[in-house]
């Protein structure tokens, strides 16, 4: 779930007065009752290498450009890279879907759902010409869709062509909700309605089915924003299909007119053939009765040839009529199908708009309830006892219930330190604007442990140190200074930071990565890498003396 909620300021007119607490219960009631809730666990700690959003999107763009160069034929792109796309299309198999399969290979470094969606967004933009905003919405639904049907190969087999399913395996198809499972174990299926379909290239009906919508309503904002964006896309799709239906209907009318004209030509040709056949039969009978009359013999031969030619012409016109009838039927089918597509998209959009409107009212009332709550406190929740990982939670101090949880679930050392500022106009009062903590993991390809700041309201990561921090380090505050163990080359030293995570000092003395740090008025007590306890000078963190 997302930990933050949007606060919408506007004019509210209510016809019905309801209690805020009751509305809060309603939001819980409309959430999914399914046994498995789709909640992506992204790595939310620091990174060894931080890539820009544009650089991450560019990964998908590069793959998309390759597919765009030969979109009507199946192929595999990026087979030996971090990400592979299998463009699985087959025009010979009908009534099932083509698909693109995005494979996250073992050496991939993506570890956050936002970045994975950026890759898919870039891919859709370059491969099929989507606008970036539409591609972003579709990418969100694609990830949820693949998580909902993770490792459910039967579902994919029922819906997709053989060229798609032969590239899927039961243990890897779809997308895990946990980032650490992505590399080497992900086959993200992107259903294709029409590779040349523009806005309707990806089958939006498939990726937004009832199970997907049910899962999206598990989010704190009930997935309203992305659901609304999808409704907008479907309404535009309906408009496009309606235009195609109109054009196809006009074509069908023209083809039907041609059919009627051709039927007249064919009927006349058949009449001419019948008359020629009768004339030939009469001439043949006369020639038979007068075998010595050369003129009658010649006339019989000529009329027989004319009858044969007329018959051939009639058969040719009959074939033309059948061909025109097929063209007319195809045109009518195209018109009906386009109209059916338009009706389907409009129906889906209308149904979802109704549900969204109900959810928006509940969200608004819940936001009013949250805004009036002054009894919330922030604390730590144990996430992984074996690895000593915790996460921030906001708790209602009166009921003890958790109001919201931070997406950062890799706080180390079970320690957070409030970062405060003086309240405006009140020198005796301070407010907490952030929490400082050591966060991160070392298990992923691009994960790291660093000193971090988490926003006091949203509980989200807002800043991280440039330096890597020991996963076993303590975090100690002394006034406005903060101490922890940081990496220095192949060893570890004590680092001193300000509240903005700017490194002020680092000790020239190598220390144990798990050393205690005790700040006194005389200096900082630590244990060196040689297991000696020393006192460091507060001014420059140099060693003052060895304590025996």
């Amino acid at each position: 779930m997302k930990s933050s909620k949007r606060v919408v300021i506007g004019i509210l007119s209510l016809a019905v007065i309801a209690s805020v607490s009751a509305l809060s219960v309603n939001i819980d009631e409309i959430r999914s009752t399914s046994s498995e809730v789709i909640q992506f666990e992204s790595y939310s700690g620091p990174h060894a290498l931080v890539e820009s959003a544009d650089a991450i999107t560019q990964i998908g763009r590069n793959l998309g450009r390759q597919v765009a160069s030969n979109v009507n034929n199946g192929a595999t792109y990026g087979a030996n890279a971090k990400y592979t796309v299998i463009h699985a299309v087959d025009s010979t198999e009908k009534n099932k879907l083509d698909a693109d399969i995005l494979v996250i290979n073992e050496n991939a470094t993506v570890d956050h759902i936002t970045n994975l969606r950026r890759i898919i967004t870039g891919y859709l933009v370059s491969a099929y010409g989507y606008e970036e905003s539409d591609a972003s919405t579709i990418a969100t639904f694609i990830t949820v869709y693949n998580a909902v049907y993770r490792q459910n190969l039967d579902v994919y087999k029922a819906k997709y062509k053989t060229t798609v399913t032969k590239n899927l395996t039961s243990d890897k198809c779809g997308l895990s909700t946990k980032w650490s499972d992505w590399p080497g174990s992900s086959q993200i299926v992107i259903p294709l309605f029409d590779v040349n379909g523009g806005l309707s290239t990806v089958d939006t009906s498939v990726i937004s089915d009832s199970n997907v919508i049910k899962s999206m309503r598990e989010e704190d904002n009930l997935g309203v924003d992305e659901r609304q964006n999808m409704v907008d896309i479907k309404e535009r799709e309906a408009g496009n299909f309606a235009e195609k239906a109109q054009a196809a209907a006009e074509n069908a009318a023209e083809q039907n007119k041609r059919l009627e004209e051709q039927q007249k030509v064919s009927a006349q040709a058949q009449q001419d053939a019948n008359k020629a056949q009768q004339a030939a039969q009469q001439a043949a009978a006369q020639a038979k009765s007068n075998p010595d009359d050369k003129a009658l013999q010649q006339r019989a031969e000529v009329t027989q040839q004319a009858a044969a030619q007329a018959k051939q012409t009639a058969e040719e016109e009959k074939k033309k009529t059948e061909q025109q009838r097929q063209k007319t039927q195809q045109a009518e089918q195209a018109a009906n199908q386009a109209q059916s597509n338009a009706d389907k998209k409009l129906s889906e959009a209308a149904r979802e708009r109704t549900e969204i409107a109900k959810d928006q009212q509940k969200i608004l009332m819940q936001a009013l309830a949250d805004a009036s709550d002054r009894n919330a406190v922030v604390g730590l929740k144990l996430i992984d006892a074996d690895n000593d990982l915790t996460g921030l939670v906001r708790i209602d101090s009166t009921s003890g219930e958790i109001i919201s949880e931070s997406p950062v679930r890799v706080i180390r050392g079970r320690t957070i330190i409030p970062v405060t500022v003086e309240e405006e106009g009140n020198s005796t009062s301070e407010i907490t604007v952030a929490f400082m903590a050591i966060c991160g993991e070392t298990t992923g390809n691009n994960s790291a442990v660093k000193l971090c700041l988490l926003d006091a309201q949203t509980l989200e990561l807002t800043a991280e140190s440039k330096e890597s921090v020991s996963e076993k380090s303590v975090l100690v505050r002394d006034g406005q200074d903060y101490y922890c163990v940081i990496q220095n080359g192949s060893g570890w030293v004590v680092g001193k930071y300000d509240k903005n995570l700017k490194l002020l000092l680092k000790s020239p003395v190598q220390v144990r990565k798990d050393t205690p740090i005790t700040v006194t008025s005389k200096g900082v007590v630590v244990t060196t890498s040689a297991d000696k306890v020393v006192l460091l000078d507060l001014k420059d963190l140099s060693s003052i003396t060895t304590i025996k």
Side-chain angles (χ1 to χ4, degrees):
M1 294 183 184
K2 296 178 181 177
S3 62
S4 61
K5 298 179 180 177
R6 297 182 180 176
V7 179
V8 179
I9 302 176
I11 299 174
L12 176 63
S13 177
L14 294 177
V16 180
I17 299 176
S19 71
V20 169
S21 60
L23 287 168
S24 178
V25 171
N26 286 343
I27 285 183
D28 292 334
E29 288 177 350
I30 66 175
R31 299 187 193 278
S32 167
T33 57
S34 61
S35 59
E36 183 177 356
V37 174
I38 302 303
Q39 180 179 342
F40 288 105
E41 290 185 27
S42 298
Y43 174 70
S44 54
H47 292 84
L49 174 65
V50 179
E51 293 185 277
S52 68
D54 186 64
I56 294 169
T57 304
Q58 193 63 37
I59 296 171
R61 285 181 179 270
N62 291 338
L63 283 169
R65 277 191 286 269
Q66 297 178 69
V67 172
S69 66
N70 193 18
V71 73
N72 293 306
N73 295 303
T76 298
Y77 303 94
N80 298 316
K82 293 181 179 180
Y83 306 91
T84 300
V85 167
I86 302 172
H87 185 56
V89 296
D90 180 5
S91 60
T92 63
E93 186 176 356
K94 306 299 181 181
N95 303 321
K96 286 191 175 184
L97 291 171
D98 294 319
D100 287 332
I101 305 171
L102 175 62
V103 180
I104 304 177
N105 295 319
E106 291 183 356
N107 57 339
T109 56
V110 63
D111 55 15
H112 199 288
I113 191 61
T114 298
N115 288 336
L116 179 55
R117 288 169 177 168
R118 283 172 177 153
I119 292 172
I120 298 173
T121 296
Y123 175 76
L124 295 175
V125 168
S126 289
Y128 302 115
Y130 276 97
E131 293 293 331
E132 188 159 350
S133 59
D134 292 336
S136 178
T137 296
I138 292 171
T140 297
F141 275 83
I142 286 171
T143 53
V144 177
Y145 168 73
N146 277 270
V148 167
Y149 296 109
R150 167 71 169 171
Q151 296 181 338
N152 196 336
L153 188 57
D154 288 340
V155 169
Y156 294 109
K157 285 183 176 180
K159 196 175 295 290
Y160 294 88
K161 296 177 182 178
T162 302
T163 189
V164 177
T165 56
K166 71 180 183 180
N167 288 293
L168 301 177
T169 59
S170 59
D171 60 328
K172 295 182 180 181
C173 62
L175 179 68
S176 171
T177 57
K178 190 171 183 179
W179 67 273
S180 57
D181 293 336
W182 294 348
S185 299
S186 303
Q187 296 168 335
I188 301 172
V189 178
I190 304 174
L192 301 177
F193 180 80
D194 179 0
V195 293
N196 298 295
L199 187 63
S200 295
T201 298
V202 176
D203 196 321
T204 54
S205 298
V206 170
I207 62 174
S208 63
D209 68 17
S210 59
N211 290 327
V212 172
I213 295 299
K214 183 185 293 185
S215 175
M216 296 188 77
R217 295 177 84 199
E218 292 293 340
E219 300 181 11
D220 281 350
N221 69 343
L222 307 181
V224 161
D225 293 338
E226 292 298 348
R227 288 163 59 198
Q228 182 65 62
N229 291 340
M230 178 57 76
V231 167
D232 292 341
I233 290 174
K234 287 186 177 182
E235 287 177 340
R236 280 181 282 138
E237 283 189 278
N240 293 342
F241 283 128
E243 290 179 2
K244 290 180 180 179
Q246 178 63 31
E250 292 174 358
N251 180 48
E254 176 62 26
Q255 295 299 332
N256 190 61
K257 182 179 179 181
R258 293 179 183 179
L259 176 60
E260 291 175 352
E261 293 173 351
Q262 179 58 40
Q263 286 174 330
K264 291 178 181 179
V265 171
S266 182
Q268 184 61 53
Q270 187 60 52
Q271 288 179 8
D272 293 343
N274 292 340
K275 289 180 180 180
Q277 181 62 30
Q278 291 175 359
Q281 289 174 349
Q282 291 174 357
Q286 290 175 353
K288 184 176 181 181
S289 299
N290 301 279
D292 296 330
D293 190 332
K294 293 183 178 180
L296 290 178
Q297 300 301 322
Q298 185 176 3
R299 181 173 177 272
E301 184 177 350
V302 170
T303 55
Q304 184 61 40
Q305 291 175 350
Q309 181 61 48
K311 181 179 180 182
Q312 181 178 349
T313 299
E315 290 176 349
E316 289 175 352
E317 293 301 331
K318 184 177 181 180
K319 288 181 180 178
K320 290 180 181 179
T321 301
E322 184 58 32
Q323 292 172 348
Q324 185 58 44
R325 180 177 287 106
Q326 291 178 1
K327 288 182 179 179
T328 302
Q329 290 175 346
Q330 290 172 355
E332 290 174 346
Q333 289 172 357
N336 292 337
Q337 185 61 58
Q339 188 59 54
S340 176
N341 291 337
D343 293 343
K344 178 181 179 181
K345 295 299 180 181
L346 279 178
S347 176
E348 291 176 3
R351 183 171 59 252
E352 183 62 3
R353 272 201 184 281
T354 300
E355 294 303 314
I356 288 172
K358 295 177 183 178
D359 290 350
Q360 283 176 322
Q361 185 175 7
K362 291 178 173 65
I363 291 170
L364 181 57
M365 297 305 295
Q366 186 64 50
L368 293 174
D370 291 345
S372 64
D373 186 4
R374 297 293 182 269
N375 298 312
V377 296
V378 174
L380 287 172
K381 172 185 175 180
L382 186 61
I383 302 297
D384 185 344
D386 292 337
N387 294 297
D388 198 23
L389 300 178
T390 55
L392 280 181
V393 293
R394 178 173 281 106
I395 301 172
D396 186 319
S397 62
T398 58
S399 67
E401 294 182 356
I402 294 177
I403 300 172
S404 60
E405 295 190 38
S406 170
V408 181
R409 298 164 60 85
V410 287
I411 295 174
R412 310 196 74 89
R414 312 185 189 209
T415 302
I416 55 171
I417 298 178
V419 177
T420 60
V421 297
E422 186 177 290
E423 187 174 11
E424 186 175 355
N426 189 347
S427 60
T428 62
S429 178
E430 292 185 331
I431 57 175
T432 299
V433 295
F435 293 96
M436 186 179 295
I438 297 171
C439 306
E441 287 189 90
T442 58
T443 56
N445 292 338
N446 194 33
S447 56
V449 176
K450 294 187 178 181
L451 193 59
C452 300
L453 288 179
L454 295 93
D455 186 273
Q457 296 302 313
T458 66
L459 306 184
E460 293 180 350
L461 182 69
T462 58
E464 60 185 62
S465 64
K466 294 181 180 179
E467 301 77 23
S468 293
V469 177
S470 166
E471 72 273 17
K472 296 186 177 181
S473 174
V474 294
L475 177 60
V476 177
R477 177 181 179 179
D478 179 42
Q480 295 299 311
D481 299 325
Y482 304 84
Y483 295 85
C484 61
V485 178
I486 63 175
Q487 191 165 21
N488 186 44
S490 60
W492 303 93
V493 297
V494 175
K496 177 181 176 181
Y497 289 85
D498 66 10
K499 65 182 180 182
N500 297 313
L501 303 188
K502 178 183 179 181
L503 180 63
L504 303 175
L505 294 171
K506 61 180 180 180
S507 68
V509 178
Q510 298 276 321
V511 299
R512 287 177 57 103
K513 65 187 304 183
D514 57 354
T515 179
I517 300 176
T518 307
V519 183
T520 73
S521 60
K522 302 296 184 180
V524 182
V525 181
V526 297
T527 301
T528 69
S529 57
D531 287 331
K532 299 291 185 180
V533 177
V534 299
L535 186 65
L536 305 181
D537 195 317
L538 288 171
K539 293 182 296 183
D540 59 8
L541 296 184
S542 61
S543 177
I544 298 176
T545 181
T546 300
I547 302 176
K548 298 182 180 179

